[in-house]
């Protein structure tokens, strides 16, 4: 069926980079990276996260994009097309990716909802304060209000759906290309402000001076899960974007750029946040609320702080939009190309499903506060099940697929643009990692982290 559908695609090389980066950079950098780094002891966690990104994230990202471009299909179709033995159900990896997309979007859309709400709160000015109690109770009041939480989340979902209805090239490429550079500039400005705060040395020491006493198997699994989440891996997102890549795009060079730029944004967020945490007496381990309570305190310190705060949350909304667009693209393209639905119908169905499933995350701090499964509320459970189980599992299977099923010749041919690029050493090294190192490493970290051996 996919052959008969005219596929969209990214039209320029910069557009490819911007859209891929737009998927990677998101609330993962601004919200998840600082809160996990804070909760897991700082620099030791950061070091393991960096290692996981390099040794596991990068090869898996290259694998996904290469597979997607070679097959030019949705994630399920890609695995079906590239698999020589049609009897084995490799397509299930694509289906698991769709499940992961729904779980992540359910809680992610709620965090995006907080960010959107904060743009308006910043305009009102009520959250701008260096008093920890003021910023903490403002955030607490927002998440404890079921009506506000739900309406903001549904508003966000409708907004993203509207962009997707505009189509791949015009919607995703057009919007991310314009907005990504603004994001970098605003974060740089924020760092400059934070570096003038009194306890800047404590903040930077927390972020960059490792203390390995807090590292456990669970912490290592969390760091690896963050590496997958950050680079949008293990669930078919990068595979789908790979299917829109041009045939002459240099995949290894693009992925390295995306990885470095993504790390850079996370570092900037860390440098903007941790000096403030120590200066104003917040707990680095505050978790999901960290960004929402520290950032207003930083801005309260400087002239024009209110305007800058509006800019910051607007910037976070931009980053979140690019990431959500890429996540939604997975179920939408599967429904469109596998089940023959129109893109519009597929988008509307996805949004409707997310409004239902996502509400369990929106109501986690209010109506459904006492509803728990496996000892976790729905927000934490969806986060845990996706980042620490489904994405790493997807990563193992994709690495094994390339390393043992699709094979060296196919992989190298695709990655060298049919021989046009002379990158045999790079493709050989990536193939080696995918065949032997990544699957084993992910498996060990996962089983140990989950306490299974
Ligand atoms: N990489 C995004 C972020 O860090 O915010 C989140 C994300 C996007 C995860 C797309 C997974 C995905 F498929």
């Amino acid at each position: 069926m996919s052959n008969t559908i005219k596929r969209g695609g990214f039209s320029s090389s910069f557009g490819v980079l911007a859209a891929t980066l737009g998927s990677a950079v998101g609330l993962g950098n601004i919200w998840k990276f600082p809160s996990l780094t804070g909760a897991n002891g700082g620099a030791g966690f950061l070091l393991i996260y960096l290692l996981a990104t390099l040794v596991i994230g990068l090869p898996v990202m290259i694998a996904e994009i290469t597979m997607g471009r070679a097959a030019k299909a949705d994630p399920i179709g890609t695995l079906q097309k590239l698999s020589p033995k049609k009897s084995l159900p490799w397509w299930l990896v694509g289906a698991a990716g769709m499940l992961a997309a729904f779980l992540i979007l359910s809680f992610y859309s709620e965090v995006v909802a907080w960010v959107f709400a904060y743009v308006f709160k910043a305009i009102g000015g009520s959250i701008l304060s260096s008093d920890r109690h003021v910023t903490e109770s403002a955030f607490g009041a927002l998440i404890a209000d079921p009506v506000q939480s739900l309406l903001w989340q549904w508003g966000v979902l409708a907004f993203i759906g509207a962009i997707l209805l505009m189509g791949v090239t015009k919607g995703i490429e057009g919007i991310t290309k314009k907005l990504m550079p603004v994001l970098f500039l605003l974060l740089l400005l924020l760092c400059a402000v934070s570096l003038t705060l009194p306890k800047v040395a404590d903040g930077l020491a927390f972020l960059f001076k490792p203390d390995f006493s807090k590292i456990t198997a669970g912490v290592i699994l969390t760091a690896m899960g963050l590496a997958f989440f950050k680079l949008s891996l293990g669930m078919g997102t990068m595979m789908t974007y790979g299917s829109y890549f041009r045939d002459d795009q240099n995949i290894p060079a693009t992925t390295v750029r995306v990885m470095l730029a993504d790390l850079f944004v996370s570092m900037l967020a860390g440098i903007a946040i941790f000096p403030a945490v120590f200066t104003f007496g917040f707990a680095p381990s505050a978790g999901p609320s960290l960004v929402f309570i520290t950032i207003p305190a930083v801005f309260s310190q400087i002239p024009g702080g209110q305007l800058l705060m509006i800019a910051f949350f607007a910037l976070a909304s931009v980053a979140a939009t690019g990431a959500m667009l890429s996540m939604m693209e997975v179920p939408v393209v599967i429904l469109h190309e596998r089940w023959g639905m129109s893109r519009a119908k597929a988008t509307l169905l996805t949004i409707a499903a997310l409004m239902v499933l996502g509400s369990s995350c929106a109501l986690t701090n209010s109506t459904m506060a006492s509803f728990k499964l496996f000892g976790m509320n729905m927000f934490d459970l969806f986060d845990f099940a996706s980042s620490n189980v489904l994405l790493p599992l997807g990563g193992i299977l994709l690495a094994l697929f390339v390393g043992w099923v699709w094979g060296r010749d196919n992989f190298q041919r695709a990655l060298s643009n049919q021989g046009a690029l002379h990158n045999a050493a790079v493709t050989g090294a990536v193939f080696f990692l995918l065949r032997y190192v990544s699957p084993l490493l992910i498996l060990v970290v996962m089983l140990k982290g989950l306490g299974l051996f």
Side-chain angles (χ1 to χ4, degrees):
M1 181 178 307
S2 35
N3 301 338
T4 58
I5 289 172
K6 192 177 169 309
R7 311 193 83 245
F10 299 133
S11 61
S12 71
S13 191
F14 178 68
V16 171
L17 188 68
T20 313
L21 196 56
S23 167
V25 173
L27 295 186
N29 308 71
I30 294 162
W31 163 71
K32 208 172 212 256
F33 169 79
S35 68
L36 286 182
T37 304
N40 291 291
F45 177 86
L46 173 59
L47 202 67
I48 297 170
Y49 162 63
L50 289 177
L51 271 176
T53 300
L54 268 180
V55 182
I56 296 171
L58 194 60
V60 172
M61 187 171 179
I62 292 176
E64 274 202 40
I65 294 179
T66 311
M67 287 172 69
R69 190 180 64 178
K72 299 227 173 356
D74 64 282
I76 292 181
T78 295
L79 280 139
Q80 280 174 341
K81 259 194 191 173
L82 301 183
S83 172
K85 274 207 207 109
K86 306 292 175 209
S87 52
L88 288 176
W90 280 104
W91 61 270
L92 279 173
V93 181
M98 186 159 158
L99 173 66
F102 275 109
L103 293 186
I104 296 182
L105 278 163
S106 292
F107 72 84
Y108 201 86
S109 59
E110 184 52 23
V111 185
V112 184
W114 301 337
V115 173
F116 275 52
Y118 260 55
V119 175
F120 289 86
K121 281 187 187 288
I123 293 171
S126 61
I127 49 173
L128 193 71
S129 168
S130 63
D131 181 347
R132 175 162 90 72
H133 302 291
V134 173
T135 62
E136 278 170 355
S137 63
F139 183 68
L142 170 66
I143 63 173
D145 181 340
V147 178
Q148 271 202 66
S149 300
L150 212 54
L151 287 182
W152 278 112
Q153 185 190 43
W154 288 3
V156 165
L157 288 169
F159 173 67
I160 302 288
I163 297 178
L164 272 176
L165 288 178
M166 289 159 59
V168 176
T169 311
K170 264 201 245 119
I172 301 181
E173 188 177 341
I175 287 172
T176 43
K177 219 189 322 196
K178 285 193 200 88
L179 297 181
M180 290 307 289
V182 185
L183 184 148
F184 280 96
L185 286 180
L186 279 169
L187 260 180
L188 276 173
L189 188 68
L190 249 148
C191 283
V193 175
S194 205
L195 288 173
T196 64
L197 292 174
K199 294 223 170 148
V200 62
D202 292 352
L204 295 184
F206 180 80
L207 192 57
F208 295 118
K209 236 170 134 190
D211 163 12
F212 291 107
S213 65
K214 304 222 172 64
I215 303 300
T216 60
V219 169
I220 297 176
L221 176 60
T222 306
M224 187 178 79
L226 178 64
F228 274 98
F229 184 90
K230 272 304 321 119
L231 294 176
S232 316
L233 302 176
M235 52 174 274
T237 300
M238 283 300 166
M239 204 184 279
T240 306
Y241 270 29
S243 76
Y244 303 135
F245 267 46
R246 286 146 38 115
D247 287 328
D248 60 355
Q249 187 84 16
N250 185 334
I251 293 177
T254 307
T255 45
V256 168
R257 277 193 203 125
V258 169
M259 180 199 75
L260 290 177
D262 180 62
L263 286 175
F264 185 59
V265 176
S266 293
M267 287 303 138
L268 290 183
I271 294 170
I273 285 167
F274 286 107
V277 166
F278 288 89
T279 301
F280 301 111
F282 292 107
S285 57
S289 62
L290 191 69
V291 176
F292 297 94
I293 56 183
T294 50
I295 291 294
V298 182
F299 286 126
S300 72
Q301 295 303 292
I302 44 168
Q306 188 182 358
L307 263 183
L308 289 175
M309 185 165 60
I310 297 169
F312 175 82
F313 286 108
L315 147 114
S317 318
V318 171
T321 301
M324 276 192 82
L325 286 172
S326 72
M327 266 184 265
M328 282 227 205
E329 190 62 18
V330 173
V332 168
V333 79
I334 288 179
L335 292 174
H336 177 47
E337 295 190 1
R338 282 301 97 203
W339 281 302
M341 269 180 210
S342 67
R343 269 193 79 92
K345 208 166 164 199
T347 303
L348 292 175
L349 192 69
T350 303
I351 301 280
L354 282 169
M355 283 181 168
V356 177
L357 193 65
S359 60
S360 65
C361 295
L363 301 176
T364 275
N365 295 294
S366 52
T367 324
M368 289 179 64
S370 53
F371 186 80
K372 300 215 159 135
L373 275 179
F374 306 106
M376 285 179 255
N377 61 42
M378 292 304 103
F379 188 106
D380 293 341
L381 180 68
F382 287 8
D383 189 0
F384 184 88
S386 50
S387 286
N388 294 2
V389 182
L390 284 173
L391 301 189
L393 204 60
I396 294 178
L397 292 170
L398 290 170
L400 289 177
F401 182 84
V402 169
W404 298 91
V405 180
W406 199 32
R408 180 190 293 269
D409 287 350
N410 285 328
F411 181 67
Q412 291 199 326
R413 210 173 309 122
L415 198 50
S416 65
N417 299 354
Q418 315 299 326
L421 301 172
H422 299 286
N423 57 1
V426 173
T427 57
V430 175
F431 186 78
F432 178 82
L433 285 172
L434 288 170
R435 189 170 160 102
Y436 300 108
V437 183
S438 315
L440 212 62
L441 213 57
I442 305 171
L443 188 70
V444 171
V445 171
M446 217 178 124
L447 294 182
K448 268 241 174 264
L450 295 174
L452 296 178
F453 96 88

